[in-house]
Amino acid sequence: ERGQALPRDLVGHRVVVSAGGTREALDPVRYLGNRSSGRQGYALARVAAQRGARVTLVAAHTADLGDPAAVDVVRVGSARELRDAMHATTADADAIVMAAAVADFRPTALAEHKIKKDGSEPPALPLALNPDILVELVAARRPGQVVVGFAAETGDASGDPLHHGRAKLARKGCDLLVVNAVGDGRAFEVPDNAGWLLGADGTEEELKPGSKALLASRVWDAVATRLG
Ligand code: CTP
Ligand code: CA
């Protein structure tokens, strides 16, 4: 879409986007993390600002990305920090997009000192379940607020990516769910950035393969429709 004028349909709206992958500390030098680059969340924030929204970007760990122009950036590390930042910034937001890759689990305890390998038995790594931030934001949603989730799904024996996406939309209770179909190397080989945009109102829009900026535009189109 570079060079094309974007609609200014988000003027007067405040939006909060989360991006990147959380890191769950294990000891002073180690963490559990994931491979999220943050690029999709940054594209969502950038495009929203270009369309006139006031944008807060809550960024967990990302690749080395430049801050999008005219966006407030809040940096977080762990899932629990991300949760606190989301609750602190979304009370008066018109739309919330959870593009961050939130670690499902964290080490139960943060070791005060670096864990040493003494002896032959590796230590067990007890894990605790992290809060489901998206579910919490849906529960705290104020009237008119639009909440968007993301899901990367492969197919498996119990269904294809779209089947899993529909179930996740129902479970999360958000207004929109972006389902990225990710190939599992066998039956469901599809590009990473194609999928579906599912609405709680039953709408299902196929997302053709395209750039992260283009996907961001499709998401904001759907949000703008719901903001009225
Ligand atoms: N999410 C969240 N808090 C979590 C986990 C996920 O807010 N603790 C959000 C993600 O940011 C994303 C959506 O929920 O917008 C779906 O994430 P996903 O990992 O696909 O869902 P899970 O419920 O964790 O299910 P799964 O077992 O498939 O990982
Ligand atoms: Ca998960």
Side-chain angles (χ1 to χ4, degrees):
E1 302 215 332
R2 207 176 295 267
Q4 271 174 252
L6 293 175
R8 298 281 295 171
D9 52 355
L10 296 176
V11 170
H13 291 296
R14 234 201 106 233
V15 307
V16 180
V17 177
S18 71
T22 67
R23 288 182 163 184
E24 311 300 316
L26 179 55
D27 71 15
V29 295
R30 302 185 180 100
Y31 58 83
L32 301 182
N34 62 67
R35 295 182 192 276
S36 173
S37 72
R39 288 196 172 83
Q40 185 61 65
Y42 273 55
L44 282 153
R46 184 178 304 110
V47 170
Q50 288 167 345
R51 287 168 72 153
R54 282 197 296 133
V55 183
T56 301
L57 174 63
V58 180
H61 181 76
T62 67
D64 191 12
L65 307 175
D67 286 358
V71 166
D72 282 332
V73 181
V74 178
R75 302 212 177 266
V76 296
S78 67
R80 288 188 294 176
E81 287 170 19
L82 174 58
R83 171 215 223 171
D84 291 347
M86 293 307 291
H87 286 299
T89 56
T90 54
D92 70 340
D94 301 300
I96 305 169
V97 182
M98 278 296 296
V102 185
D104 292 328
F105 311 106
R106 66 176 183 276
T108 314
L110 168 59
E112 191 184 345
H113 306 292
K114 186 184 170 194
I115 298 167
K116 305 296 285 182
K117 58 173 195 302
D118 52 354
S120 55
E121 276 298 297
L125 186 53
L127 300 176
L129 193 60
N130 270 330
D132 193 317
I133 303 164
L134 180 57
V135 165
E136 288 186 3
L137 293 169
V138 166
R141 175 173 46 187
R142 60 173 185 76
Q145 198 176 47
V146 178
V147 182
V148 185
F150 266 74
E153 300 288 347
T154 67
D156 61 23
S158 69
D160 61 18
L162 184 55
H163 169 89
H164 286 296
R166 288 179 183 133
K168 190 164 283 180
L169 173 68
R171 201 160 64 234
K172 300 284 187 179
C174 48
D175 300 287
L176 291 161
L177 186 74
V178 182
V179 181
N180 276 308
V182 291
D184 63 0
R186 288 171 291 129
F188 309 103
E189 288 264 70
V190 278
D192 283 10
N193 50 357
W196 296 269
L197 183 55
L198 307 182
D201 55 3
T203 53
E204 297 192 348
E205 183 189 336
E206 191 179 349
L207 299 168
K208 297 263 155 50
S211 67
K212 292 187 189 314
L214 186 63
L215 188 143
S217 288
R218 296 290 82 79
V219 171
W220 291 123
D221 289 347
V223 169
T225 302
R226 283 158 178 80
L227 289 173

Coordinates of all heavy atoms in Angstrom, one line a residue, residues 18 79 98-104 130-135 148-153 168 171-172 177, ligand 1:
S18 N -0.7 -4.6 21.3 CA 0.5 -5.3 21.9 C 1.3 -6.0 20.8 O 0.7 -6.4 19.8 CB 0.0 -6.3 23.0 OG -0.6 -7.4 22.4
A79 N 5.0 -11.7 30.7 CA 3.5 -11.7 30.5 C 2.8 -10.9 31.6 O 1.9 -10.2 31.3 CB 3.0 -13.1 30.5
M98 N -4.5 -7.6 20.4 CA -3.5 -8.4 21.1 C -2.7 -9.2 20.1 O -3.0 -10.4 19.8 CB -4.2 -9.4 22.1 CG -4.5 -8.7 23.5 SD -3.1 -8.2 24.4 CE -2.3 -9.8 24.7
A99 N -1.7 -8.6 19.5 CA -0.8 -9.2 18.6 C 0.4 -9.9 19.2 O 1.2 -10.5 18.6 CB -0.4 -8.3 17.5
A100 N 0.6 -9.6 20.5 CA 1.8 -10.2 21.2 C 1.7 -11.7 21.3 O 0.6 -12.2 21.4 CB 1.9 -9.6 22.6
A101 N 2.9 -12.3 21.3 CA 3.0 -13.7 21.6 C 3.2 -13.9 23.1 O 4.3 -13.6 23.6 CB 4.1 -14.4 20.8
V102 N 2.2 -14.2 23.8 CA 2.3 -14.3 25.3 C 2.7 -15.7 25.7 O 2.1 -16.6 25.3 CB 0.9 -13.9 26.0 CG1 1.1 -13.9 27.5 CG2 0.4 -12.6 25.4
A103 N 3.7 -15.8 26.5 CA 4.1 -17.1 27.0 C 3.0 -17.7 27.8 O 2.5 -17.0 28.7 CB 5.4 -17.0 27.9
D104 N 2.6 -18.9 27.5 CA 1.5 -19.6 28.3 C 2.0 -19.9 29.7 O 1.2 -19.9 30.6 CB 1.1 -20.8 27.6 CG 0.4 -20.5 26.2 OD1 -0.3 -19.5 26.2 OD2 0.5 -21.3 25.3
N130 N 0.4 -18.6 33.0 CA 0.3 -17.2 33.0 C -1.2 -16.8 32.8 O -2.0 -17.6 32.3 CB 1.1 -16.6 31.8 CG 2.5 -16.3 32.2 OD1 2.8 -15.9 33.4 ND2 3.4 -16.4 31.3
P131 N -1.5 -15.6 33.3 CA -2.9 -15.1 33.1 C -3.2 -15.0 31.6 O -2.3 -14.7 30.8 CB -2.9 -13.7 33.7 CG -1.5 -13.3 33.8 CD -0.7 -14.5 33.9
D132 N -4.5 -15.3 31.2 CA -4.9 -15.0 29.8 C -5.3 -13.6 29.7 O -6.4 -13.2 30.1 CB -6.0 -16.0 29.4 CG -6.2 -16.0 27.9 OD1 -6.2 -14.9 27.3 OD2 -6.4 -17.1 27.3
I133 N -4.4 -12.8 29.1 CA -4.6 -11.3 29.1 C -5.8 -11.0 28.2 O -6.7 -10.1 28.6 CB -3.4 -10.6 28.6 CG1 -2.2 -11.0 29.5 CG2 -3.6 -9.1 28.6 CD1 -0.8 -10.6 28.9
L134 N -5.9 -11.6 27.1 CA -7.0 -11.4 26.2 C -8.4 -11.6 26.8 O -9.3 -10.8 26.7 CB -6.9 -12.2 24.9 CG -7.9 -12.1 23.8 CD1 -8.1 -10.6 23.3 CD2 -7.6 -13.0 22.6
V135 N -8.5 -12.8 27.5 CA -9.7 -13.1 28.2 C -10.0 -12.0 29.3 O -11.2 -11.6 29.5 CB -9.7 -14.5 28.8 CG1 -10.7 -14.8 29.8 CG2 -9.7 -15.6 27.7
V148 N -9.6 -7.4 19.7 CA -9.1 -8.2 18.6 C -8.0 -9.2 19.1 O -7.1 -8.7 19.8 CB -8.5 -7.4 17.4 CG1 -8.2 -8.3 16.3 CG2 -9.5 -6.3 17.0
G149 N -8.1 -10.5 18.8 CA -7.1 -11.4 19.2 C -6.4 -12.0 17.9 O -6.9 -11.8 16.8
F150 N -5.3 -12.6 18.1 CA -4.6 -13.3 17.0 C -4.4 -14.7 17.4 O -4.2 -15.1 18.5 CB -3.2 -12.6 16.9 CG -3.1 -11.5 15.8 CD1 -3.7 -10.3 16.1 CD2 -2.5 -11.8 14.6 CE1 -3.7 -9.3 15.2 CE2 -2.5 -10.7 13.7 CZ -3.0 -9.5 13.9
A151 N -4.3 -15.6 16.4 CA -4.0 -17.0 16.6 C -3.3 -17.5 15.4 O -3.7 -17.3 14.3 CB -5.3 -17.8 16.9
A152 N -2.2 -18.2 15.7 CA -1.5 -19.0 14.6 C -1.8 -20.4 14.8 O -1.6 -21.0 15.9 CB 0.0 -18.8 14.8
E153 N -2.4 -21.0 13.8 CA -2.9 -22.4 14.0 C -2.4 -23.3 12.9 O -2.4 -22.9 11.7 CB -4.5 -22.4 13.9 CG -5.2 -21.6 15.0 CD -5.1 -22.2 16.4 OE1 -4.7 -23.3 16.5 OE2 -5.4 -21.4 17.3
K168 N -11.4 -21.1 19.0 CA -10.6 -20.1 19.9 C -11.4 -18.8 20.0 O -11.4 -18.2 21.1 CB -9.2 -19.9 19.3 CG -8.3 -19.1 20.2 CD -6.8 -19.2 19.8 CE -6.2 -20.6 20.2 NZ -4.8 -20.7 19.8
R171 N -13.9 -19.3 22.6 CA -13.4 -19.4 23.9 C -12.9 -18.1 24.4 O -13.0 -17.8 25.6 CB -12.2 -20.4 23.8 CG -11.7 -21.1 25.0 CD -10.9 -22.3 24.8 NE -9.7 -22.1 24.1 CZ -9.3 -22.7 23.0 NH1 -10.1 -23.5 22.4 NH2 -8.1 -22.4 22.4
K172 N -12.3 -17.3 23.6 CA -11.8 -16.0 24.0 C -12.8 -14.9 24.2 O -12.7 -14.0 25.0 CB -10.7 -15.5 23.0 CG -9.5 -16.4 22.8 CD -8.6 -16.4 24.0 CE -7.3 -17.2 23.7 NZ -6.4 -17.1 24.8
L177 N -11.1 -12.3 15.6 CA -9.9 -13.1 15.7 C -9.2 -13.2 14.4 O -9.8 -13.7 13.4 CB -10.2 -14.5 16.3 CG -9.0 -15.4 16.6 CD1 -8.3 -14.9 17.9 CD2 -9.4 -16.8 16.8
Ligands
CTP1 N1 -3.1 -14.4 24.8 C1 -3.1 -13.7 25.9 N2 -2.7 -14.2 27.1 C2 -2.1 -15.4 27.2 C3 -2.1 -16.2 26.0 C4 -2.6 -15.7 24.8 O1 -3.6 -12.5 25.9 N3 -1.7 -15.9 28.3 C5 -3.6 -13.9 23.5 C6 -2.6 -13.7 22.4 O2 -2.0 -12.4 22.4 C7 -3.5 -13.9 21.2 C8 -4.6 -14.8 21.6 O3 -4.6 -14.8 23.1 O4 -4.2 -12.7 20.8 C9 -4.5 -16.2 21.2 O5 -3.2 -16.7 21.6 P1 -2.9 -18.3 21.5 O6 -1.6 -18.6 22.0 O7 -3.2 -18.7 20.1 O8 -4.1 -18.9 22.4 P2 -4.0 -19.8 23.7 O9 -5.3 -19.6 24.4 O10 -2.8 -19.6 24.5 O11 -4.1 -21.2 23.1 P3 -3.0 -22.3 22.6 O12 -3.1 -23.4 23.6 O13 -3.4 -22.6 21.2 O14 -1.6 -21.6 22.7

